[in-house]
């Protein structure tokens, strides 16, 4: 029988912060004149604030934080149960299917309808162009990125979920049959090899899959070395000291010779964040409050619903011939609050009920 352990609240809170960074800040660019011909204003609002500027400029690397957090939580929740056969392949994948797929399917259908309406009115697609039957089938099959696609399509942020689903398969095989510590290292190295290739292949050997391998199995590695190990304090200070020294060395000296992408720096930073959050009681208490826990609960729904919300707003503005004031703080606040509100509604009306219904019907 699978024994459920206490939730790592700080993981949920960090996931919530990451979802806001991607959905509210990074993808606010979909309202800019790079995407919308009826948009004016060069910079988003609050750009003068350093934290806001970071999320506006680098919010995409929050996806890499998602991957690392997933690796930690999967190792914490499932590793022992899978390795000792307390949970089988059927139960494992039903749990993951019921968690991700209902929200994915719902938002996919909503986006498919919205882009059809938008295209029939304006003759163009609102954000992403690959909204054809072929890519719809890929989305239905949950392989919309990293396998057979030609780019981003429909509810494009869902690309990371298809990569995560692939990581789940590798994780189950790893936890059941292999040594997690050593195989995590090998998979990270393989991911780095793919990441450094000068070109992408259609199937697996490509940049999105590499990000998943590096991030997810770095999370597994952090769990093995940091969270479950009895000598955690030694490892904690090793991670923290190593992070600080490496960052200082890189930005002061090494950067002039070697360029390390912000995505890889985020993975490295995530290790530092997890080390601090796991053992620093002050940080844990700060993250364990109602606001952060709410965003943690709705993180998947927010990540999946924000593009449909954007398309509805864009459709309304275009139908009424209204210019988008990209640097308007009120417009930004309206979009952010609307996305968060609909994420909460999606969470309580679709995500949780569908997850419960699937698990009951499939006797999980």
């Amino acid at each position: 029988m699978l024994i459920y352990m206490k939730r790592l609240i700080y993981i949920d809170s960090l996931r919530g912060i990451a979802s806001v960074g991607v959905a509210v800040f990074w993808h606010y660019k979909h309202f800019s004149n790079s995407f919308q011909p009826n948009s004016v204003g060069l910079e988003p609002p609050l750009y003068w604030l350093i934290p806001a500027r970071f999320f506006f400029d680098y919010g995409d690397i929050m996806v890499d934080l998602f991957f690392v957090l997933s690796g930690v939580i999967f190792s914490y929740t499932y590793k022992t149960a899978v390795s000792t056969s307390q949970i089988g392949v059927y139960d494992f994948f039903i749990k993951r299917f019921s968690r991700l797929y209902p929200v994915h399917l719902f938002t996919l259908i909503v986006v498919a309808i919205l882009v059809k309406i938008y295209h029939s009115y304006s003759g163009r697609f609102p954000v992403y162009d690959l909204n054809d039957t072929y890519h719809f089938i890929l989305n239905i099959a949950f392989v919309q990125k990293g396998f057979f696609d030609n780019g981003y399509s429909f509810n494009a942020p869902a690309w990371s979920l298809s990569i995560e689903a692939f990581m789940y398969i590798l994780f189950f095989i790893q936890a059941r049959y292999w040594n997690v510590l050593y195989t995590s290292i090998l998979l990270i190295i393989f991911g780095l090899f793919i990441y450094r290739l000068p070109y992408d292949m259609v199937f697996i050997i490509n940049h999105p899959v590499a990000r998943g391998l590096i991030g997810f199995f770095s999370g597994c590695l952090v769990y093995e070395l940091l969270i479950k190990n009895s000598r955690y304090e030694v490892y904690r200070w090793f991670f923290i000291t190593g992070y600080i020294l490496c960052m200082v060395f890189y930005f002061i000296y090494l950067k002039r010779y070697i360029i390390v992408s912000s995505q890889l720096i985020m993975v490295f930073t995530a290790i530092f964040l997890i080390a601090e959050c796991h053992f620093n009681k002050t940080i844990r208490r700060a993250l364990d409050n109602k606001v952060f826990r709410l965003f943690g609960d709705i993180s998947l729904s927010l990540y999946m619903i924000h593009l449909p919300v954007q398309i509805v707003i864009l459709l309304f503005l275009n139908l009424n011939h209204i210019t988008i004031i990209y640097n308007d703080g009120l417009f930004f606040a309206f979009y952010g609050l609307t996305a968060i509100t609909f994420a909460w509604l999606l969470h309580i009306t679709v995500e949780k009920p569908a997850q419960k219904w699937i698990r009951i019907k499939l006797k999980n």
Side-chain angles (χ1 to χ4, degrees):
M1 181 178 178
L2 179 59
I3 298 173
Y4 290 93
M5 296 174 287
K6 184 179 179 181
R7 290 174 64 183
L8 298 176
I9 299 300
Y10 69 86
I11 294 287
D12 292 335
S13 298
L14 289 174
R15 191 159 46 196
I17 294 170
S19 69
V20 172
V22 176
V24 178
F25 287 87
W26 169 250
H27 279 158
Y28 183 68
K29 66 179 182 177
H30 292 159
F31 294 111
S32 71
N33 55 23
S34 297
F35 290 86
Q36 309 304 326
N38 61 328
S39 176
V40 297
L42 298 178
E43 292 183 349
L46 304 178
Y47 198 66
W48 51 275
L49 285 175
I50 293 178
R53 177 177 293 194
F54 170 80
F55 283 116
F56 281 126
D57 289 346
Y58 299 104
D60 63 317
I61 66 176
M62 293 298 103
V63 174
D64 300 281
L65 177 57
F66 278 136
F67 288 142
V68 179
L69 295 174
S70 292
V72 173
I73 203 64
F74 264 68
S75 295
Y76 177 77
T77 305
Y78 290 113
K79 181 205 164 187
T80 300
V82 171
S83 64
T84 58
S85 299
Q86 294 178 54
I87 182 172
V89 61
Y90 177 81
D91 288 343
F92 177 80
F93 285 104
I94 288 302
K95 287 180 183 295
R96 303 324 305 158
F97 174 84
S98 64
R99 163 69 172 153
L100 298 181
Y101 199 78
V103 175
H104 167 65
L105 181 62
F106 178 84
T107 53
L108 171 63
I109 293 172
V110 170
V111 169
I113 294 171
L114 289 174
V115 297
K116 180 69 174 177
I117 295 171
Y118 194 99
H119 189 270
S120 65
Y121 167 74
S122 65
R124 67 181 187 89
F125 291 114
V127 182
Y128 302 101
D129 293 331
L130 295 176
N131 303 306
D132 51 29
T133 302
Y134 173 72
H135 284 88
F136 185 80
I137 294 172
L138 292 183
N139 276 268
I140 288 288
F142 223 23
V143 289
Q144 66 270 27
K145 194 64 181 169
F147 303 95
F148 310 102
D149 62 280
N150 297 315
Y152 296 107
S153 61
F154 291 98
N155 194 15
W159 75 266
S160 64
L161 271 62
S162 69
I163 301 299
E164 277 219 19
F166 181 49
M167 298 304 111
Y168 299 163
I169 296 172
L170 295 177
F171 172 83
F172 185 90
I173 297 171
Q174 173 196 54
R176 176 61 63 88
Y177 302 109
W178 299 329
N179 181 289
V180 172
L181 176 63
Y182 298 135
T183 53
S184 292
I185 294 173
L186 290 175
L187 287 167
I188 292 168
I189 293 172
F190 181 58
L192 288 169
F193 170 75
I194 298 173
Y195 192 87
R196 299 303 298 179
L197 289 176
Y199 55 86
D200 275 356
M201 296 184 184
V202 174
F203 186 74
I204 295 181
I205 309 299
N206 52 62
H207 196 250
V209 172
R211 290 174 68 181
L213 289 169
I214 296 166
F216 187 92
F217 290 101
S218 289
C220 295
L221 193 61
V222 169
Y223 173 80
E224 290 294 311
L225 295 177
L226 182 67
I227 295 176
K228 82 163 191 176
N229 202 292
S230 60
R231 293 172 291 175
Y232 54 81
E233 283 294 337
V234 174
Y235 286 117
R236 172 199 177 190
W237 290 112
F238 170 79
F239 278 119
I240 293 171
T241 304
Y243 172 80
I244 294 172
L245 291 177
C246 287
M247 288 296 99
V248 170
F249 179 71
Y250 174 72
F251 284 104
I252 291 179
Y253 176 75
L254 196 60
K255 190 176 181 180
R256 72 187 74 175
Y257 304 107
I258 301 174
I259 301 298
V260 178
S261 74
S262 58
Q263 295 163 351
L264 295 181
I265 291 176
M266 182 70 253
V267 172
F268 199 39
T269 302
I271 296 172
F272 166 78
L273 288 174
I274 292 166
E276 273 302 281
C277 290
H278 191 74
F279 299 112
N280 190 310
K281 294 181 179 179
T282 301
I283 295 177
R284 283 209 314 272
R285 280 195 297 266
L287 291 175
D288 187 9
N289 64 64
K290 292 182 178 180
V291 174
F292 285 126
R293 294 181 74 168
L294 170 64
F295 282 117
D297 289 340
I298 68 171
S299 59
L300 175 62
S301 290
L302 178 58
Y303 186 71
M304 297 299 289
I305 200 64
H306 73 274
L307 185 63
V309 168
Q310 289 181 339
I311 296 173
V312 170
I313 294 173
L314 290 170
L315 184 60
F316 173 81
L317 294 175
N318 277 275
L319 286 172
N320 292 277
H321 306 289
I322 300 174
T323 300
I324 301 171
I325 310 299
Y326 182 60
N327 57 351
D328 185 359
L330 289 177
F331 178 72
F332 173 70
F334 167 76
Y335 158 64
L337 291 174
T338 302
I340 292 168
T341 300
F342 275 91
W344 177 75
L345 290 172
L346 180 64
H347 175 71
I348 63 173
T349 61
V350 176
E351 181 184 347
K352 297 302 290 184
Q355 178 177 301
K356 182 178 179 180
W357 184 85
I358 290 172
R359 293 184 179 185
I360 291 173
K361 288 296 181 181
L362 297 178
K363 297 180 181 179
N364 195 46

